[in-house]
């Protein structure tokens, strides 16, 4: 399987999972609404019977709390799945040559460095441009440091990575 097929199939699988999670989030939201309304109605109908109203309230709070935790978990999972869809979309755009907004690493160009300027390590369409998948400045700086490192002892472990 070539990379384009892999990313396309993976993206489609995540999109399907996202749709399932979207439905589940909606269902849990509706269930929460029903529990809230049912609890309020139950308390209203049994307001004169303090013990029964208290039991209905307690039961409603426990069920509502459980549904809140379930809802939060689904929302978190959906955010993760959406991020995975974004990652696969980015990889497909890079394979097609249509993704130009990635950081070039131009800020790490060092004319006095032994080899980085000779091999297009940083800059537009550089090795850094195609390799970089970081989201933070610290991550970009760490990647740049690894790429421009000239330590012979680290070559083997970097190649294995």
């Amino acid at each position: 399987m070539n990379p384009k097929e892999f990313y396309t199939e993976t993206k489609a699988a995540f999109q399907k999972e996202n749709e399932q999670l979207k439905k589940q989030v909606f269902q849990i939201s509706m269930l929460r609404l029903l529990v809230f309304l049912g609890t309020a109605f139950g308390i209203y109908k049994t307001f004169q019977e303090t013990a029964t109203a208290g039991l209905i309230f307690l039961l409603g709070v426990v069920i509502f709390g459980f549904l809140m935790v379930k809802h939060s978990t689904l929302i978190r999972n959906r955010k993760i799945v959406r991020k995975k869809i974004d990652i696969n979309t980015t990889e497909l755009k890079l394979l097609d040559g249509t993704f130009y907004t990635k950081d070039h690493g131009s800020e790490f160009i060092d004319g006095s460095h032994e080899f980085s300027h000779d091999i297009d390590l940083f800059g537009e369409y550089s090795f850094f441009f195609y390799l970089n998948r970081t989201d933070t400045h610290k991550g970009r700086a760490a990647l740049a440091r690894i790429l421009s490192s000239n330590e012979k002892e680290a070559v083997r472990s970097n190649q294995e990575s």
Side-chain angles (χ1 to χ4, degrees):
M1 175 182 297
N2 69 39
K4 189 170 186 172
E5 289 173 354
F6 172 79
Y7 290 121
T8 302
E9 288 178 16
T10 305
K11 180 181 173 184
F14 285 130
Q15 286 173 327
K16 185 177 180 181
E17 185 178 349
N18 184 49
E19 286 303 312
Q20 291 172 341
L21 287 169
K22 183 179 176 181
K23 287 177 186 175
Q24 290 175 347
V25 166
F26 178 75
Q27 290 169 346
I28 294 290
S29 295
M30 290 297 105
L31 205 53
R32 281 177 27 211
L33 179 63
L34 287 174
V35 167
F36 176 78
L37 292 175
T39 301
F41 182 74
I43 292 171
Y44 172 75
K45 282 299 211 179
T46 60
F47 192 71
Q48 300 298 329
E49 302 169 35
T50 310
T52 306
L55 184 62
I56 290 172
F57 174 76
L58 185 62
L59 189 61
V61 167
V62 168
I63 294 171
F64 192 82
F66 171 77
L67 292 173
M68 285 293 294
V69 170
K70 182 73 173 164
H71 186 263
S72 296
T73 301
L74 288 171
I75 293 292
R76 185 176 58 248
N77 291 345
R78 191 160 177 234
K79 284 180 183 177
I80 292 168
V81 167
R82 279 195 238 152
K83 184 64 177 172
K84 289 178 180 180
I85 291 169
D86 291 345
I87 289 168
N88 283 279
T89 301
T90 298
E91 294 303 321
L92 286 168
K93 286 181 179 180
L94 284 167
L95 286 172
D96 289 341
T98 59
F99 192 75
Y100 299 109
T101 59
K102 280 300 241 185
D103 181 17
H104 301 141
S106 299
E107 65 197 77
F108 302 112
I109 294 174
D110 180 6
S112 63
H113 190 270
E114 297 90 9
F115 60 84
S116 68
H117 57 284
D118 289 336
I119 60 171
D120 291 329
L121 200 52
F122 303 107
E124 196 169 348
Y125 304 108
S126 63
F127 185 65
F128 181 89
F129 171 77
Y130 288 107
L131 183 65
N132 180 27
R133 300 299 185 273
T134 61
D135 283 329
T136 65
H137 179 70
K138 277 187 170 183
R140 287 189 295 279
L143 178 60
R145 191 173 47 255
I146 289 168
L147 291 176
S148 59
S149 164
N150 200 18
E151 299 172 18
K152 292 179 183 175
E153 302 81 33
V155 170
R156 174 88 50 208
S157 65
N158 287 346
Q159 287 174 340
E160 289 173 7
S161 296

